[in-house]
Amino acid sequence: MSAERAGEECTNLGEIKKELVIHLICNIAAAAAGAAAFCMIAGYCSPGNGRGSRPLCTWIFRGTGGITALYCLHRYEEAGACLTMFGFFCILAAVTLTDLGRREIPDMYCAAVVILALISAFTLPGLTVWERAAGGLCVSLPFLVIAVAVPGAFGGGDVKLMAACGLYLGIKITAVAAAAGILLAGCAGAGLVLSGRRGKRGVLALGPFLCAGMTAGVIWGEQMIQWYIS
């Protein structure tokens, strides 16, 4: 092997190592930022601003934030798309904690999703205006009709959350997410009935299940649609 060839291979090996180090640093930084963001959300949204929270739950939430950040980093190549989707997951986390703790979904969370929906028109293109509009109505409108006909069936926060998230996700993923969320809530409710336990004030918070459904829709929505129609 010539000295020139050996020098080229050493250079290439050095560049590969440099890329691996940069990749590792980016992953660590993203995971740390995600964990910190979710920790801040937990401190703000938990009852008593997180005072007296269980250390295990705190670490689980931090780990979830790190995994969420890594997922966004690896799935979305553009920085704008990555940050927009991570912001959406942060809002879902805030909705989950707030609804579990206070049985309400503040309007500011829904407004934040609407703002993200406007931003995502540029950072996550692919959905038409009509798909977003249909997504805003396909679940929230039936929820509203049922809530009026059967008082207590759905809260106003659930209706507004699905309207806002429908604008962000579009009609297909919103419909899949709602179906998954309601199925999860039904299973949890059945489990509570069978075990003889009830939620706070006898009401099961629907928001966390809707958020879980939307998370599943974002990650596996297209596969779930293909599985259903095949």
Side-chain angles (χ1 to χ4, degrees):
M1 181 184 294
S2 65
E4 182 179 355
R5 178 67 178 275
E8 289 179 357
E9 290 188 356
C10 289
T11 301
N12 292 335
L13 183 60
E15 291 179 352
I16 293 173
K17 289 182 177 179
K18 183 179 179 180
E19 291 179 358
L20 289 175
V21 170
I22 294 175
H23 183 72
L24 179 62
I25 292 174
C26 290
N27 279 276
I28 293 174
F38 270 48
C39 188
M40 292 175 60
I41 292 170
Y44 177 78
C45 300
S46 298
N49 290 331
R51 289 172 292 187
S53 58
R54 298 177 182 176
L56 179 59
C57 294
T58 300
W59 281 107
I60 291 175
F61 210 66
R62 287 175 180 173
T64 302
I67 293 171
T68 301
L70 289 175
Y71 168 79
C72 294
L73 179 66
H74 287 279
R75 176 168 177 177
Y76 303 97
E77 296 180 357
E78 298 293 332
C82 177
L83 291 174
T84 304
M85 187 56 70
F86 182 71
F88 180 67
F89 284 131
C90 285
I91 296 172
L92 295 184
V95 169
T96 298
L97 287 180
T98 305
D99 202 17
L100 283 174
R102 303 203 303 260
R103 294 298 188 272
E104 65 174 338
I105 302 175
D107 291 343
M108 65 177 181
Y109 295 162
C110 300
V113 176
V114 173
I115 293 173
L116 277 183
L118 295 175
I119 296 174
S120 69
F122 303 97
T123 60
L124 291 166
L127 293 174
T128 66
V129 174
W130 299 111
E131 287 175 317
R132 292 182 182 274
L137 295 174
C138 68
V139 175
S140 61
L141 187 57
F143 273 21
L144 179 60
V145 173
I146 294 173
V148 172
V150 184
F154 296 107
D158 300 324
V159 175
K160 288 180 280 189
L161 177 68
M162 294 310 301
C165 291
L167 293 175
Y168 181 85
L169 298 173
I171 182 170
K172 292 193 296 183
I173 301 301
T174 302
V176 170
I182 292 174
L183 178 61
L184 289 173
C187 293
L192 289 175
V193 171
L194 292 175
S195 64
R197 299 173 58 189
R198 293 184 179 180
K200 184 180 178 181
R201 296 192 299 272
V203 178
L204 185 67
L206 182 60
F209 297 101
L210 294 176
C211 290
M214 284 184 280
T215 300
V218 170
I219 300 174
W220 302 294
E222 293 296 336
Q223 294 91 323
M224 293 166 70
I225 292 172
Q226 292 300 322
W227 170 80
Y228 180 76
I229 64 178
S230 62

